[in-house]
Amino acid sequence: MEGPTSSIQDTVPPPHPKAYVQAQLISFPDEVLNILRNETSYKETIQKLETELSVYKRAYADVDADLKAAKSAQLETETLNMQLKNENMLLKKQDKGNRVVMLIDGDGAIFSPHLIAWGEKGGHAAAQLLSDATLQYLADIYGSRGTQLWVYVFFNRRGLLDTFRREGLSALTGKFEHFIMGFNQATERFLMVDVGNTKEAADAKLKVYLEDEIRLPETFKIIFGGCHDNGYVANLLSQITAGYKEKLVLLKSYAEMAAGIAGLGLPSLTIPELFLLHKLGEDATLSQTDAKSPSMSSSPLSGNISLNFPVQTPSPRALDPNLLLIDAEQPAPCTLFYLKNSCKLGASCPYAHDYILTTAQLEELRVGAKRAPCFDANKGKECIFGDSCCYGHVCFRSSKCSFHKRGICKFTQRAFSVLHSFYEG
């Protein structure tokens, strides 16, 4: 079977070339059309791919830009955080340990009578002495630290005034309020506080402030001005035991400390000419140091008190309270000095600056000053002091001035006319 079949196939003649070509030509248009259709499809596919590629490229560019912006923002944030961290560390370094708090028992550490006798100026001078000596003490030992000094003086006003009267220092009672005002106004961080007449009220305040202030991390030193009283030993010893010994400095007032406090072995600061050296009542005669005039500088170390306090001042003297000022000693008290604290003549002033005037005498001086015309107002000029001027701006006799009718009133016609028109309305 195989033999004949093979032979039959072998005998089939091959297609004629012309027929083959004709067959291919017949199918060629279909092939061309197919190719053209495929080309169109390919072009559409390519265009679609190019469009998608363009979209991807734009998206990539946007993402890349966002990434670069994010990296830049991250870098800026890291840099800012580092700056803030450094600034915060610097601020903490500056703030931590730069606060110095002075606590004074004003019932025992009594300011020098000489300073009190100078009233408001004496208060300023006491604040300056205290500030300069304290900051110099700290600078000598610890160097420059940008220290801020806070001072609290707790006292029993009524008790102190009674003690002054009992010990023959009655002249100080009229000046004490002015002294307190001057001390408190010297700087915003200095404060004298009347704690009232309750027994041991100043002690209680001092103990509480000691307990609170010494535990603050920003407190560098506590300067404790209660060395005259052994009653503070237990409180100071408690702080030493708690680990705060390095923060404590004692401020001496009396020449000798209380034995128990001296035995604590704490460093101490002495400010000459600031406090009485002896307890009132134990020695009624003031020592020469107690009565000595303090030497003041016009540029205090603290930088927050500015005074022109005289280097040497005359000893204060009292006037007879039973006499009117007009009948008292001469020269008369300086009106500008006592009422405005603004006399610029100093030692060359023809009027006295060294009297200790009582409240009644000050009021007499105030009333008397209003009887004298203000130089500027009397000349029709504007007085810089306005209503607070210690001199009169219009005639104090108002429309009943007999001197005006005779043409000899010390107040000018203009000044009198203003007042007269006011009363006549």
Side-chain angles (χ1 to χ4, degrees):
M1 291 293 292
E2 294 180 358
T5 304
S6 299
S7 60
I8 292 173
Q9 292 176 348
D10 291 338
T11 59
V12 175
H16 193 278
K18 184 177 180 180
Y20 176 77
V21 170
Q22 287 177 345
Q24 293 297 323
L25 288 174
I26 291 172
S27 62
F28 183 73
D30 295 332
E31 293 293 335
V32 171
L33 290 175
N34 191 35
I35 291 173
L36 291 174
R37 283 195 297 268
N38 288 340
E39 183 182 7
T40 302
S41 176
Y42 293 153
K43 285 183 178 180
E44 290 176 354
T45 301
I46 291 171
Q47 187 177 6
K48 182 179 180 181
L49 291 174
E50 287 178 345
T51 302
E52 290 178 355
L53 179 61
S54 177
V55 170
Y56 290 141
K57 284 183 178 179
R58 287 197 299 269
Y60 176 81
D62 292 341
V63 170
D64 186 58
D66 291 343
L67 181 60
K68 289 181 179 179
K71 287 183 178 179
S72 177
Q74 182 182 7
L75 182 61
E76 291 179 3
T77 302
E78 290 175 353
T79 304
L80 181 60
N81 285 339
M82 184 61 67
Q83 291 176 351
L84 291 175
K85 185 177 180 180
N86 292 336
E87 290 177 3
N88 189 41
M89 291 178 62
L90 180 61
L91 288 174
K92 286 184 176 180
K93 184 177 179 181
Q94 290 176 343
D95 292 340
K96 187 174 181 180
N98 287 345
R99 176 182 165 97
V100 175
V101 180
M102 180 176 287
L103 303 174
I104 299 177
D105 183 344
D107 292 339
I110 301 175
F111 288 102
S112 166
H114 173 83
L115 291 170
I116 297 174
W118 275 92
E120 189 172 333
K121 292 187 73 173
H124 279 242
Q128 180 179 319
L129 269 174
L130 190 152
S131 177
D132 286 356
T134 302
L135 296 179
Q136 186 64 61
Y137 168 84
L138 295 172
D140 290 344
I141 299 176
Y142 304 103
S144 177
R145 296 178 58 89
T147 302
Q148 288 186 341
L149 178 61
W150 301 71
V151 178
Y152 300 98
V153 184
F154 301 110
F155 66 98
N156 177 354
R157 175 182 172 278
R158 179 178 173 184
L160 276 179
L161 293 180
D162 289 344
T163 301
F164 290 156
R165 295 187 187 97
R166 187 170 59 251
E167 300 303 323
L169 298 172
S170 299
L172 298 181
T173 58
K175 290 291 184 177
F176 193 49
E177 289 297 329
H178 298 286
F179 174 85
I180 296 171
M181 183 184 302
F183 187 90
N184 288 341
Q185 290 177 347
T187 174
E188 65 277 6
R189 297 186 181 94
F190 283 25
L191 187 64
M192 288 187 71
V193 181
D194 176 15
V195 295
N197 205 34
T198 307
K199 185 177 181 181
E200 308 298 336
D203 300 44
K205 287 284 187 183
L206 228 66
K207 292 173 182 178
V208 170
Y209 270 72
L210 172 64
E211 179 79 17
D212 291 345
E213 295 286 351
I214 203 169
R215 298 177 185 275
L216 296 176
E218 59 266 28
T219 298
F220 173 52
K221 294 291 179 183
I222 293 287
I223 302 178
F224 189 78
C227 303
H228 59 282
D229 190 348
N230 276 323
Y232 294 116
V233 172
N235 301 88
L236 293 171
L237 189 58
S238 175
Q239 303 307 326
I240 292 172
T241 304
Y244 297 112
K245 181 176 182 179
E246 295 301 318
K247 285 190 175 185
L248 286 169
V249 176
L250 300 177
L251 174 64
K252 289 182 64 177
S253 54
Y254 296 161
E256 298 293 332
M257 287 189 192
I261 292 182
L264 296 175
L266 295 170
S268 64
L269 164 66
T270 302
I271 304 178
E273 306 171 358
L274 184 61
F275 299 110
L276 275 174
L277 296 181
H278 304 282
K279 183 177 181 180
L280 284 174
E282 290 184 355
D283 185 358
T285 304
L286 299 181
S287 67
Q288 290 183 353
T289 305
D290 290 334
K292 185 179 178 181
S293 300
S295 298
M296 302 296 151
S297 64
S298 58
S299 300
L301 178 66
S302 61
N304 54 12
I305 306 172
S306 181
L307 304 173
N308 291 315
F309 199 79
V311 174
Q312 292 184 342
T313 55
S315 300
R317 47 183 172 150
L319 292 173
D320 187 345
N322 297 318
L323 292 177
L324 295 174
L325 291 181
I326 194 172
D327 299 324
E329 298 179 37
Q330 295 297 323
C334 175
T335 301
L336 285 175
F337 177 81
Y338 285 98
L339 298 185
K340 300 299 294 183
N341 200 22
S342 62
C343 180
K344 300 179 181 179
L345 298 179
S348 63
C349 180
Y351 300 102
H353 291 188
D354 58 337
Y355 292 135
I356 301 175
L357 301 183
T358 65
T359 303
Q361 288 170 332
L362 283 172
E363 182 60 25
E364 180 186 348
L365 186 63
R366 188 175 292 107
V367 172
K370 286 295 184 182
R371 296 173 179 270
C374 168
F375 179 83
D376 287 334
N378 222 32
K379 295 295 183 181
K381 300 179 182 178
E382 182 178 357
C383 174
I384 60 174
F385 296 107
D387 294 336
S388 65
C389 181
C390 57
Y391 296 107
H393 284 190
V394 292
C395 180
F396 63 96
R397 301 176 189 273
S398 68
S399 60
K400 298 179 181 180
C401 179
S402 59
F403 297 99
H404 170 67
K405 296 177 181 179
R406 289 182 282 166
I408 56 174
C409 179
K410 292 183 292 185
F411 292 81
T412 62
Q413 178 67 32
R414 178 186 179 278
F416 180 88
S417 298
V418 171
L419 185 65
H420 182 77
S421 61
F422 173 81
Y423 278 95
E424 295 299 326

